[in-house]
Amino acid sequence: MKPQDVLGKASLWIFGYGSLVWKPDFKYRKSRVGFIRGYKRRFWHGDDFHRGSQAAPGRVVTLIEDDDAVTWGVAFEVSGPQVEEALAYLNVRETVCGGYVTKMVDFFPGDEGPAPVQALVYIATSDNPLYLGPASPEDIGAQIASSSGKSGHNLEYLLRLAEFMRSSCPQAEGVLQVIVNL
């Protein structure tokens, strides 16, 4: 699916599970903390712009398919002209600079009230040249600790994500898995 496939919609939910949870950088109508099923978050994607360089890419999260997994994050509802503006911005941030593809997923708000809604999510796949794949936790940790890019140090990315999980998703099992399972 391409972002332009959803242009013209009156509203759209966009699910964030990495830096979007603390820095969406686009206007939105409302946001909700919740989760998607069938994916696990891993530090398996390389970043040679925001959190690293071409010589020393950082590691940022992507989603890996796993039928038994749940990934917590934030969904942002954009409406009216916000849809096109958000997609134009995210196309550069996530697709051009990051190499992510888009999919539609069911987003479950964490407050157990409303039914799930369809949300657009950006995922880095293994056929992406920036995709790094699995490595030992020690190697991933060392790479994160030594990488920095235009948006800041890679360690800041990891710590902000861990803080989001602790403060906004206390109901999520294994909050520290963000760090431990890198």
Side-chain angles (χ1 to χ4, degrees), residues 83-143:
V83 174
E84 189 171 340
E85 292 166 6
L87 291 176
Y89 169 73
L90 290 170
N91 182 52
V92 172
R93 175 175 167 169
E94 306 294 340
T95 307
V96 175
C97 291
Y100 289 72
V101 298
T102 56
K103 291 186 179 183
M104 293 300 289
V105 295
D106 285 331
F107 169 74
F108 297 84
D111 55 14
E112 299 181 26
V117 296
Q118 283 279 289
L120 183 73
V121 65
Y122 289 79
I123 300 172
T125 60
S126 59
D127 58 352
N128 173 333
L130 292 171
Y131 184 85
L132 300 173
S136 73
E138 295 79 13
D139 288 346
I140 292 174
Q143 189 171 357

Side-chain angles (χ1 to χ4, degrees), residues 4 20 46 78 125:
Q4 59 265 28
L20 283 182
V78 292
T125 60

Side-chain angles (χ1 to χ4, degrees), residues 15-175:
F15 180 71
Y17 56 91
S19 60
L20 283 182
V21 302
W22 72 82
K23 189 178 167 83
D25 278 349
F26 56 84
K27 293 179 183 174
Y28 54 92
R29 186 170 163 252
K30 62 183 169 183
S31 66
R32 301 185 91 153
V33 172
F35 61 89
I36 62 172
R37 293 186 173 133
Y39 293 93
K40 59 187 176 185
R41 177 182 10 238
R42 292 293 182 262
F43 279 88
W44 290 3
H45 188 56
D47 184 329
D48 63 2
F49 185 80
H50 292 288
R51 299 295 176 169
S53 65
Q54 289 185 349
R59 279 192 177 253
V60 294
V61 293
T62 188
L63 297 177
I64 306 300
E65 289 187 34
D66 180 339
D67 291 341
D68 299 324
V70 169
T71 297
W72 284 80
V74 178
F76 302 92
E77 183 184 25
V78 292
S79 60
Q82 294 173 339
V83 174
E84 189 171 340
E85 292 166 6
L87 291 176
Y89 169 73
L90 290 170
N91 182 52
V92 172
R93 175 175 167 169
E94 306 294 340
T95 307
V96 175
C97 291
Y100 289 72
V101 298
T102 56
K103 291 186 179 183
M104 293 300 289
V105 295
D106 285 331
F107 169 74
F108 297 84
D111 55 14
E112 299 181 26
V117 296
Q118 283 279 289
L120 183 73
V121 65
Y122 289 79
I123 300 172
T125 60
S126 59
D127 58 352
N128 173 333
L130 292 171
Y131 184 85
L132 300 173
S136 73
E138 295 79 13
D139 288 346
I140 292 174
Q143 189 171 357
I144 289 171
S146 63
S147 298
S148 187
K150 295 194 184 323
S151 294
H153 200 284
N154 202 180
L155 186 57
E156 175 194 23
Y157 176 97
L158 181 144
L159 293 173
R160 283 185 176 228
L161 183 54
E163 178 55 31
F164 163 77
M165 292 297 295
R166 280 190 204 100
S167 65
S168 299
C169 307
Q171 66 278 52
E173 283 187 38
V175 167

